[in-house]
Amino acid sequence: MKIATFNINGIKARLPRLKEWLAETRPAVACLQEIKSVDENFPASELEELGYHVLVHGQKAFNGVAILTDGEAGYEPPKEVQRGLGIDGPKDGEGEQARYLEVDVAKSDGAATRIVCIYLPNGNPHPGPKFDYKLAWMDRLRARMGAIWAAEVPAAVLGDFNVIPEDDDTFSVKAMVSDALMQPESRAAYARLLADGWTDALRTLNPRGGVWTYWDYQAGAWQRDHGFRIDHVLLSPELADRLLAVGVDREHRGREKASDHAPVWATLKD
DNA sequence: ATGGTAGACGCTCTA
């Protein structure tokens, strides 16, 4: 089973690239972030034409996540377990942002895999209320992941974590040192998830670092390969034991009208 | 000295 995460930075602007990627790489499960669309405007039928089932958790203009499952390969529609972590955004009265969607995925005759799609708050500027919100969100995430762990279901948490875990996960420590993505508190919160027992799939198979998943649109970052690793796939012990391969679909970042993120995938033994 | 680009939205915010 191939599972993948892709921050598409706007479904409206990215639909052609997304369809292309799905057709070319055919993940069984695709977690999307930054759809920047309300549920009603998400072009589900366009993806259903490709054989995918679609579950959307969106909001107006910003954020928003979605999970796709490959119906053509025999997977059932994502079965919703939970949407949202029950935490309000950083501005008074705005309510919760659409950043968390948890489902069960299975074939009709098979066991379920718990899939969690996250778009973790960016947290810039640091310090400030947005950074506080990021850390609070990470606390909530850890608590929820603890509950999933306790349920002993095979589980994967995939998405844009907005955390650069180690110094060799960025082209330049100096350029990023004051950024919320690599503050010690952000890293410590991410490290706690790993200390809890979750496996960072990409890091495990590329322990020397130097693998990027994001390149800024600005300052020629892609052309200079000025990237960093912020999109992660975390696996429960059972899925970590079944891990066969991981990768970044880097080439898709270089296409016309590309997202600023590249897709990240992991294949698991069936 | 605080750039540079992109997306959604609506005259600005987020990343």
Side-chain angles (χ1 to χ4, degrees):
Chain A
M1 177 171 66
K2 182 179 188 178
I3 61 175
T5 176
F6 190 6
N7 180 322
I8 58 173
N9 190 19
I11 185 60
K12 198 171 167 184
R14 211 68 59 218
L15 186 60
R17 291 290 86 83
L18 174 62
K19 289 171 70 173
E20 206 170 77
W21 172 70
L22 289 169
E24 289 176 23
T25 71
R26 217 58 215 186
V29 182
C31 295
L32 308 179
Q33 301 87 35
E34 281 206 88
I35 63 172
K36 297 184 175 181
S37 164
V38 293
D39 295 9
E40 309 83 73
N41 292 345
F42 191 88
S45 60
E46 297 247 18
L47 304 181
E48 285 160 1
E49 283 171 14
L50 284 174
Y52 278 92
H53 302 295
V54 180
L55 184 67
V56 182
H57 176 38
Q59 69 175 81
K60 189 180 176 185
F62 305 115
N63 310 314
V65 291
I67 297 177
L68 316 180
T69 57
D70 187 356
E72 219 161 68
Y75 290 91
E76 300 196 315
K79 189 177 165 193
E80 185 171 328
V81 176
Q82 183 173 316
R83 66 175 63 201
L85 284 171
I87 180 169
D88 285 344
K91 286 182 194 164
D92 285 342
E94 72 171 332
E96 181 162 18
Q97 299 182 349
R99 298 178 174 277
Y100 182 96
L101 185 59
E102 177 181 336
V103 302
D104 275 328
V105 174
K107 290 186 176 178
S108 58
D109 56 350
T113 302
R114 184 67 54 86
I115 297 288
V116 181
C117 175
I118 70 161
Y119 176 48
L120 207 147
N122 174 293
N124 279 304
H126 162 269
K130 289 186 176 179
F131 188 69
D132 297 340
Y133 167 58
K134 176 180 196 157
L135 297 182
W137 205 95
M138 292 186 84
D139 274 350
R140 275 302 169 95
L141 174 66
R142 186 183 181 212
R144 180 60 199 158
M145 286 171 69
I148 294 168
W149 183 280
E152 298 185 333
V153 293
V157 182
L158 308 78
D160 178 356
F161 281 69
N162 270 315
V163 175
I164 298 168
E166 310 268 356
D167 284 355
D168 60 9
D169 289 314
T170 172
F171 76 100
S172 167
V173 168
K174 193 180 168 188
M176 299 302 294
V177 71
S178 61
D179 197 284
L181 275 56
M182 58 171 275
Q183 289 310 300
E185 298 96 323
S186 311
R187 285 183 164 182
Y190 184 79
R192 279 194 285 276
L193 302 177
L194 305 188
D196 288 342
W198 296 87
T199 293
D200 180 335
L202 203 154
R203 186 80 199 187
T204 296
L205 296 192
N206 297 277
R208 289 184 301 178
V211 178
W212 320 142
T213 67
Y214 171 90
W215 297 257
D216 202 291
Y217 287 126
Q218 302 180 74
W222 169 248
Q223 289 75 12
R224 299 172 174 183
D225 197 26
H226 285 185
F228 34 89
R229 187 174 76 99
I230 52 176
D231 300 275
H232 306 307
V233 177
L234 300 192
L235 302 176
S236 70
E238 182 184 331
L239 293 192
D241 286 345
R242 289 165 48 195
L243 179 61
L244 296 174
V246 298
V248 179
D249 290 331
R250 219 187 122 91
E251 180 261 321
H252 287 256
R253 176 62 181 83
R255 298 192 183 188
E256 286 298 310
K257 297 284 284 178
S259 170
D260 42 3
H261 295 251
V264 181
W265 53 267
T267 51
L268 307 168
K269 195 176 170 195
D270 285 322

